[in-house]
Amino acid sequence: IETRFLFVSSEDYFGSCDRIMDKNQNQLGNLIAAGILLGMGAAGFFDGIVLHQILQWHHMLTNVRPATGMPNFEVNTFWDGLFHALDYALTVAGVTFLWRAASNNNTPLSLKTFVGSLLIGAGSFNLIEGIIDHQILGIHHVKPGPNQLAWDIGFLALGLALAASGWILLQTKPQNATT
């Protein structure tokens, strides 16, 4: 037996502790990234499925190309499809990060951290989509008509409330996935 296996220098010991800490922090970062991306994907799918398809309040370009005739409806449907493709890509990326976080058995996953991240993601989606598409580009509004500004502001307020709730959850002490 070589002596280098019997004696561990403080540099070797603390170096390995740093690697464990980095791995645990990486797992936490993966879990937060997963929650944010999955929250954004879920909010996008909710918007597209409920507001675009079920309620039919708007499509991606209804403020620019009203869905009154078949050609405009086809253009809006195409852009709705691209919107759903983005939601799908966010969801796949979120699942990838969740897989990475779950594959590290050194640290228990925190349900509170994951849910907080989901809320931040969903709220961020509403804020980003609401500011860019509704306000800056003006390509559509939540519910066009006489009270469209109120609907747009409500959409932004919901996004802010979701993101703030998620942030508050992330600031509290994490719990294990079983609690």
mmCIF file of all heavy atoms in Angstrom, residues 122-149:
data_model
loop_
_atom_site.group_PDB
_atom_site.id
_atom_site.type_symbol
_atom_site.label_atom_id
_atom_site.label_comp_id
_atom_site.label_asym_id
_atom_site.label_seq_id
_atom_site.Cartn_x
_atom_site.Cartn_y
_atom_site.Cartn_z
ATOM 1 N N ALA A 122 -43.580 30.826 -14.966
ATOM 2 C CA ALA A 122 -44.902 31.171 -15.500
ATOM 3 C C ALA A 122 -45.131 32.680 -15.465
ATOM 4 O O ALA A 122 -45.610 33.268 -16.439
ATOM 5 C CB ALA A 122 -45.995 30.445 -14.706
ATOM 6 N N GLY A 123 -44.759 33.294 -14.352
ATOM 7 C CA GLY A 123 -44.918 34.738 -14.245
ATOM 8 C C GLY A 123 -44.036 35.486 -15.226
ATOM 9 O O GLY A 123 -44.463 36.467 -15.845
ATOM 10 N N SER A 124 -42.809 35.021 -15.386
ATOM 11 C CA SER A 124 -41.890 35.659 -16.342
ATOM 12 C C SER A 124 -42.423 35.548 -17.756
ATOM 13 O O SER A 124 -42.325 36.494 -18.545
ATOM 14 C CB SER A 124 -40.506 35.011 -16.272
ATOM 15 O OG SER A 124 -39.935 35.220 -15.011
ATOM 16 N N PHE A 125 -42.990 34.390 -18.088
ATOM 17 C CA PHE A 125 -43.580 34.240 -19.422
ATOM 18 C C PHE A 125 -44.645 35.307 -19.644
ATOM 19 O O PHE A 125 -44.647 35.988 -20.670
ATOM 20 C CB PHE A 125 -44.196 32.848 -19.605
ATOM 21 C CG PHE A 125 -44.949 32.740 -20.899
ATOM 22 C CD1 PHE A 125 -44.278 32.403 -22.055
ATOM 23 C CD2 PHE A 125 -46.296 33.034 -20.959
ATOM 24 C CE1 PHE A 125 -44.956 32.350 -23.267
ATOM 25 C CE2 PHE A 125 -46.982 32.984 -22.159
ATOM 26 C CZ PHE A 125 -46.312 32.633 -23.313
ATOM 27 N N ASN A 126 -45.575 35.446 -18.696
ATOM 28 C CA ASN A 126 -46.643 36.436 -18.852
ATOM 29 C C ASN A 126 -46.080 37.850 -18.973
ATOM 30 O O ASN A 126 -46.557 38.642 -19.796
ATOM 31 C CB ASN A 126 -47.609 36.382 -17.664
ATOM 32 C CG ASN A 126 -48.619 35.273 -17.793
ATOM 33 O OD1 ASN A 126 -48.480 34.374 -18.608
ATOM 34 N ND2 ASN A 126 -49.649 35.324 -16.971
ATOM 35 N N LEU A 127 -45.089 38.164 -18.164
ATOM 36 C CA LEU A 127 -44.500 39.509 -18.220
ATOM 37 C C LEU A 127 -43.796 39.752 -19.554
ATOM 38 O O LEU A 127 -44.008 40.794 -20.190
ATOM 39 C CB LEU A 127 -43.534 39.713 -17.059
ATOM 40 C CG LEU A 127 -44.190 39.845 -15.681
ATOM 41 C CD1 LEU A 127 -43.141 39.760 -14.579
ATOM 42 C CD2 LEU A 127 -44.972 41.138 -15.585
ATOM 43 N N ILE A 128 -42.979 38.803 -19.977
ATOM 44 C CA ILE A 128 -42.239 38.973 -21.238
ATOM 45 C C ILE A 128 -43.194 39.029 -22.421
ATOM 46 O O ILE A 128 -43.130 39.943 -23.253
ATOM 47 C CB ILE A 128 -41.207 37.829 -21.412
ATOM 48 C CG1 ILE A 128 -40.108 37.947 -20.359
ATOM 49 C CG2 ILE A 128 -40.615 37.836 -22.822
ATOM 50 C CD1 ILE A 128 -39.239 36.704 -20.221
ATOM 51 N N GLU A 129 -44.100 38.061 -22.505
ATOM 52 C CA GLU A 129 -45.042 38.010 -23.618
ATOM 53 C C GLU A 129 -45.983 39.209 -23.597
ATOM 54 O O GLU A 129 -46.275 39.798 -24.633
ATOM 55 C CB GLU A 129 -45.826 36.690 -23.567
ATOM 56 C CG GLU A 129 -46.447 36.275 -24.882
ATOM 57 C CD GLU A 129 -47.898 36.692 -25.047
ATOM 58 O OE1 GLU A 129 -48.568 36.953 -24.042
ATOM 59 O OE2 GLU A 129 -48.350 36.754 -26.195
ATOM 60 N N GLY A 130 -46.426 39.579 -22.409
ATOM 61 C CA GLY A 130 -47.348 40.708 -22.293
ATOM 62 C C GLY A 130 -46.711 42.034 -22.667
ATOM 63 O O GLY A 130 -47.331 42.864 -23.339
ATOM 64 N N ILE A 131 -45.476 42.247 -22.237
ATOM 65 C CA ILE A 131 -44.803 43.513 -22.562
ATOM 66 C C ILE A 131 -44.430 43.562 -24.038
ATOM 67 O O ILE A 131 -44.701 44.560 -24.726
ATOM 68 C CB ILE A 131 -43.567 43.713 -21.660
ATOM 69 C CG1 ILE A 131 -44.007 43.983 -20.212
ATOM 70 C CG2 ILE A 131 -42.693 44.851 -22.177
ATOM 71 C CD1 ILE A 131 -42.882 43.949 -19.194
ATOM 72 N N ILE A 132 -43.835 42.483 -24.544
ATOM 73 C CA ILE A 132 -43.367 42.507 -25.936
ATOM 74 C C ILE A 132 -44.528 42.438 -26.927
ATOM 75 O O ILE A 132 -44.681 43.320 -27.786
ATOM 76 C CB ILE A 132 -42.350 41.371 -26.194
ATOM 77 C CG1 ILE A 132 -41.071 41.633 -25.393
ATOM 78 C CG2 ILE A 132 -42.033 41.250 -27.685
ATOM 79 C CD1 ILE A 132 -40.057 40.512 -25.439
ATOM 80 N N ASP A 133 -45.365 41.383 -26.825
ATOM 81 C CA ASP A 133 -46.414 41.189 -27.835
ATOM 82 C C ASP A 133 -47.588 42.142 -27.687
ATOM 83 O O ASP A 133 -48.124 42.632 -28.687
ATOM 84 C CB ASP A 133 -46.928 39.744 -27.793
ATOM 85 C CG ASP A 133 -45.899 38.745 -28.283
ATOM 86 O OD1 ASP A 133 -44.890 39.166 -28.881
ATOM 87 O OD2 ASP A 133 -46.103 37.538 -28.062
ATOM 88 N N HIS A 134 -48.010 42.419 -26.455
ATOM 89 C CA HIS A 134 -49.196 43.260 -26.253
ATOM 90 C C HIS A 134 -48.862 44.748 -26.306
ATOM 91 O O HIS A 134 -49.607 45.528 -26.894
ATOM 92 C CB HIS A 134 -49.869 42.953 -24.913
ATOM 93 C CG HIS A 134 -50.216 41.508 -24.719
ATOM 94 N ND1 HIS A 134 -50.565 41.001 -23.497
ATOM 95 C CD2 HIS A 134 -50.256 40.467 -25.587
ATOM 96 C CE1 HIS A 134 -50.806 39.704 -23.610
ATOM 97 N NE2 HIS A 134 -50.624 39.358 -24.868
ATOM 98 N N GLN A 135 -47.765 45.136 -25.662
ATOM 99 C CA GLN A 135 -47.478 46.563 -25.524
ATOM 100 C C GLN A 135 -46.504 47.096 -26.570
ATOM 101 O O GLN A 135 -46.792 48.080 -27.233
ATOM 102 C CB GLN A 135 -46.950 46.857 -24.110
ATOM 103 C CG GLN A 135 -47.871 46.400 -22.993
ATOM 104 C CD GLN A 135 -49.289 46.902 -23.140
ATOM 105 O OE1 GLN A 135 -49.517 48.074 -23.405
ATOM 106 N NE2 GLN A 135 -50.264 46.009 -22.996
ATOM 107 N N ILE A 136 -45.333 46.477 -26.716
ATOM 108 C CA ILE A 136 -44.308 47.023 -27.621
ATOM 109 C C ILE A 136 -44.667 46.760 -29.078
ATOM 110 O O ILE A 136 -44.748 47.698 -29.886
ATOM 111 C CB ILE A 136 -42.911 46.446 -27.283
ATOM 112 C CG1 ILE A 136 -42.475 46.922 -25.891
ATOM 113 C CG2 ILE A 136 -41.888 46.859 -28.338
ATOM 114 C CD1 ILE A 136 -41.190 46.284 -25.382
ATOM 115 N N LEU A 137 -44.862 45.492 -29.447
ATOM 116 C CA LEU A 137 -45.174 45.161 -30.839
ATOM 117 C C LEU A 137 -46.645 45.378 -31.179
ATOM 118 O O LEU A 137 -46.974 45.654 -32.332
ATOM 119 C CB LEU A 137 -44.778 43.709 -31.139
ATOM 120 C CG LEU A 137 -43.293 43.355 -30.996
ATOM 121 C CD1 LEU A 137 -43.077 41.868 -31.255
ATOM 122 C CD2 LEU A 137 -42.450 44.207 -31.939
ATOM 123 N N GLY A 138 -47.517 45.212 -30.196
ATOM 124 C CA GLY A 138 -48.954 45.390 -30.425
ATOM 125 C C GLY A 138 -49.527 44.396 -31.420
ATOM 126 O O GLY A 138 -50.485 44.712 -32.124
ATOM 127 N N ILE A 139 -48.969 43.178 -31.487
ATOM 128 C CA ILE A 139 -49.449 42.213 -32.480
ATOM 129 C C ILE A 139 -50.753 41.531 -32.058
ATOM 130 O O ILE A 139 -51.477 41.006 -32.899
ATOM 131 C CB ILE A 139 -48.370 41.162 -32.831
ATOM 132 C CG1 ILE A 139 -47.899 40.402 -31.597
ATOM 133 C CG2 ILE A 139 -47.205 41.819 -33.553
ATOM 134 C CD1 ILE A 139 -46.910 39.277 -31.897
ATOM 135 N N HIS A 140 -51.039 41.542 -30.772
ATOM 136 C CA HIS A 140 -52.340 41.079 -30.281
ATOM 137 C C HIS A 140 -52.524 41.581 -28.848
ATOM 138 O O HIS A 140 -51.587 42.081 -28.234
ATOM 139 C CB HIS A 140 -52.488 39.553 -30.357
ATOM 140 C CG HIS A 140 -51.605 38.792 -29.415
ATOM 141 N ND1 HIS A 140 -50.429 38.201 -29.811
ATOM 142 C CD2 HIS A 140 -51.723 38.505 -28.091
ATOM 143 C CE1 HIS A 140 -49.873 37.593 -28.785
ATOM 144 N NE2 HIS A 140 -50.634 37.767 -27.720
ATOM 145 N N HIS A 141 -53.730 41.462 -28.357
ATOM 146 C CA HIS A 141 -54.056 41.803 -26.970
ATOM 147 C C HIS A 141 -54.752 40.600 -26.349
ATOM 148 O O HIS A 141 -55.268 39.739 -27.062
ATOM 149 C CB HIS A 141 -54.943 43.048 -26.909
ATOM 150 C CG HIS A 141 -54.257 44.268 -27.428
ATOM 151 N ND1 HIS A 141 -53.348 44.989 -26.682
ATOM 152 C CD2 HIS A 141 -54.307 44.874 -28.639
ATOM 153 C CE1 HIS A 141 -52.878 45.985 -27.396
ATOM 154 N NE2 HIS A 141 -53.444 45.952 -28.594
ATOM 155 N N VAL A 142 -54.781 40.541 -25.026
ATOM 156 C CA VAL A 142 -55.382 39.393 -24.346
ATOM 157 C C VAL A 142 -56.819 39.208 -24.814
ATOM 158 O O VAL A 142 -57.208 38.137 -25.261
ATOM 159 C CB VAL A 142 -55.328 39.556 -22.805
ATOM 160 C CG1 VAL A 142 -56.073 38.429 -22.111
ATOM 161 C CG2 VAL A 142 -53.886 39.619 -22.329
ATOM 162 N N LYS A 143 -57.615 40.252 -24.710
ATOM 163 C CA LYS A 143 -59.012 40.233 -25.172
ATOM 164 C C LYS A 143 -59.285 41.562 -25.855
ATOM 165 O O LYS A 143 -59.539 42.567 -25.188
ATOM 166 C CB LYS A 143 -59.959 40.007 -24.000
ATOM 167 C CG LYS A 143 -61.411 39.799 -24.410
ATOM 168 C CD LYS A 143 -62.226 39.318 -23.242
ATOM 169 C CE LYS A 143 -63.672 39.038 -23.452
ATOM 170 N NZ LYS A 143 -64.251 38.946 -24.708
ATOM 171 N N PRO A 144 -59.189 41.578 -27.184
ATOM 172 C CA PRO A 144 -59.411 42.833 -27.907
ATOM 173 C C PRO A 144 -60.819 43.374 -27.671
ATOM 174 O O PRO A 144 -61.759 42.625 -27.437
ATOM 175 C CB PRO A 144 -59.233 42.438 -29.376
ATOM 176 C CG PRO A 144 -58.568 41.111 -29.367
ATOM 177 C CD PRO A 144 -58.914 40.469 -28.061
ATOM 178 N N GLY A 145 -60.937 44.668 -27.724
ATOM 179 C CA GLY A 145 -62.243 45.295 -27.548
ATOM 180 C C GLY A 145 -62.158 46.505 -26.651
ATOM 181 O O GLY A 145 -61.069 47.047 -26.403
ATOM 182 N N PRO A 146 -63.299 46.905 -26.124
ATOM 183 C CA PRO A 146 -63.351 48.155 -25.362
ATOM 184 C C PRO A 146 -62.488 48.165 -24.093
ATOM 185 O O PRO A 146 -62.018 49.209 -23.682
ATOM 186 C CB PRO A 146 -64.832 48.311 -25.009
ATOM 187 C CG PRO A 146 -65.463 46.993 -25.266
ATOM 188 C CD PRO A 146 -64.596 46.267 -26.241
ATOM 189 N N ASN A 147 -62.259 47.029 -23.471
ATOM 190 C CA ASN A 147 -61.476 46.974 -22.233
ATOM 191 C C ASN A 147 -60.143 46.254 -22.424
ATOM 192 O O ASN A 147 -59.614 45.675 -21.476
ATOM 193 C CB ASN A 147 -62.281 46.284 -21.123
ATOM 194 C CG ASN A 147 -63.520 47.060 -20.766
ATOM 195 O OD1 ASN A 147 -63.489 48.271 -20.641
ATOM 196 N ND2 ASN A 147 -64.634 46.354 -20.633
ATOM 197 N N GLN A 148 -59.567 46.308 -23.620
ATOM 198 C CA GLN A 148 -58.367 45.521 -23.894
ATOM 199 C C GLN A 148 -57.184 45.928 -23.030
ATOM 200 O O GLN A 148 -56.394 45.073 -22.628
ATOM 201 C CB GLN A 148 -58.006 45.547 -25.374
ATOM 202 C CG GLN A 148 -57.442 46.827 -25.903
ATOM 203 C CD GLN A 148 -57.219 46.757 -27.407
ATOM 204 O OE1 GLN A 148 -57.822 45.947 -28.113
ATOM 205 N NE2 GLN A 148 -56.358 47.622 -27.904
ATOM 206 N N LEU A 149 -57.056 47.224 -22.697
ATOM 207 C CA LEU A 149 -55.955 47.649 -21.844
ATOM 208 C C LEU A 149 -56.092 47.037 -20.444
ATOM 209 O O LEU A 149 -55.103 46.597 -19.848
ATOM 210 C CB LEU A 149 -55.859 49.173 -21.763
ATOM 211 C CG LEU A 149 -54.709 49.719 -20.916
ATOM 212 C CD1 LEU A 149 -53.358 49.245 -21.475
ATOM 213 C CD2 LEU A 149 -54.761 51.242 -20.851
#
